[in-house]
Amino acid sequence: MPSSASTLEAVEAALPGIKSRKMMGEYLLYRDGILFGGIYDDRLLLKITKASARMLRDCPSAFPYDGGGEMILFPEPYDPQRLEEAVDAICVELSGRNRARNLYHPPQDARGMAYVPVKCPSCGKVNQFDSTLTQAFCAYCGCKCTWSAEGPADLQEVTARAEAGDAKAQYELAEIYRNGKGVVQDNYEALKWFTKAADQGDPYAMYQLGIMYSSGLGTPRNCAKAVKCFSDAREHGLGKQQR
């Protein structure tokens, strides 16, 4: 169901100065050119980052649409101060001011124990597990969850090369975020890095973008863009060169 203009007005009243873009009946929300969330089915959803996960840990998670990436559902009525602080933190983390923003460091609780968010493959609920483990049982359904305790050893080096414009590293970093290898799984970040690699002529990145647009991963589903990405990938020699 498309979101109403009154919901957008309520969000804009709580967050003066933000910009919005209507897409397929929903609203994407920006601050200083940074996409920090959106309004989906009249729900205010914010991107999950290290900062927002910590600041809004009492808020439930939700999905903007079928196949979309997990986000944080900000409760109504909107608390302007809390919302302002959360959005500021999200935008700072995504803006590039912190070069280490792409690395995931497990947060710590009051006892100093590090924990890692793990989505159950059975029920889809997110658990907080001890980061020193690699498997545990879901607190919601009892299903066994497994994950990698460590990401690629050269993650920081890959991130630095990607930010410096290395298309191969950008593709690799996109894969890391899409699969959640040592970082919080993030389709938005995956889309961003696939796009950067595709802009440099990488046909495999173009093909992966097509999959993300056709499936609505990290972005609203857009079949026209997906078709163009697949076509561009073929024109740039997909299958004729090895990665």
Side-chain angles (χ1 to χ4, degrees):
M1 180 180 66
S3 296
S4 65
S6 60
T7 302
L8 175 62
E9 291 171 359
V11 173
E12 289 177 332
L15 281 173
I18 63 171
K19 302 294 184 182
S20 64
R21 181 159 66 95
K22 192 170 185 178
M23 180 176 289
M24 301 175 67
E26 312 294 1
Y27 297 94
L28 303 182
L29 302 177
Y30 300 82
R31 166 166 284 177
D32 298 328
I34 299 172
L35 176 65
F36 65 83
I39 299 174
Y40 302 90
D41 295 330
D42 286 318
R43 302 168 300 161
L44 174 57
L45 303 184
L46 304 179
K47 279 191 173 185
I48 296 178
T49 66
K50 290 180 289 184
S52 64
R54 181 180 67 254
M55 298 172 70
L56 304 174
R57 64 177 64 188
D58 60 317
C59 296
S61 59
F63 296 88
Y65 42 80
D66 291 341
E70 186 176 12
M71 303 179 75
I72 296 174
L73 173 61
F74 197 87
E76 297 183 72
Y78 305 130
D79 180 333
Q81 181 176 350
R82 190 182 190 197
L83 183 56
E84 178 80 24
E85 291 174 351
V87 170
D88 277 350
I90 292 171
C91 291
V92 166
E93 193 167 342
L94 297 178
S95 67
R97 299 172 199 169
N98 178 4
R99 285 186 57 81
R101 69 190 184 283
N102 292 321
L103 303 179
Y104 176 64
H105 303 285
Q108 294 185 337
D109 60 17
R111 298 168 296 170
M113 179 180 292
Y115 58 90
V116 60
V118 178
K119 183 185 293 185
C120 174
S122 178
C123 69
K125 298 286 188 178
V126 177
N127 295 265
Q128 300 291 345
F129 290 133
D130 184 340
S131 64
T132 62
L133 304 177
T134 57
Q135 62 181 27
F137 293 95
C138 176
Y140 300 92
C141 69
C143 176
K144 185 177 182 180
C145 303
T146 60
W147 66 95
S148 174
E150 298 180 354
D154 59 345
L155 178 58
Q156 190 167 2
E157 185 265 336
V158 171
T159 301
R161 286 194 293 113
E163 292 180 335
D166 186 318
K168 184 176 180 180
Q170 289 169 349
Y171 182 95
E172 185 176 349
L173 192 57
E175 285 284 304
I176 288 172
Y177 274 105
R178 183 170 63 176
N179 297 316
K181 297 179 179 178
V183 298
V184 175
Q185 196 277 336
D186 190 336
N187 285 327
Y188 290 99
E189 284 293 306
L191 183 79
K192 180 181 81 173
W193 291 108
F194 277 136
T195 299
K196 288 181 179 293
D199 287 345
Q200 297 197 68
D202 188 317
Y204 291 92
M206 296 172 189
Y207 181 79
Q208 296 301 334
L209 274 180
I211 292 176
M212 297 193 78
Y213 278 118
S214 64
S215 303
L217 299 174
T219 180
R221 186 176 288 109
N222 190 320
C223 292
K225 280 191 175 182
V227 170
K228 186 179 186 306
C229 289
F230 291 139
S231 176
D232 289 345
R234 288 194 298 271
E235 291 178 4
H236 281 77
L238 179 69
K240 297 179 182 179
Q241 53 180 280
Q242 295 184 346
R243 172 157 292 285

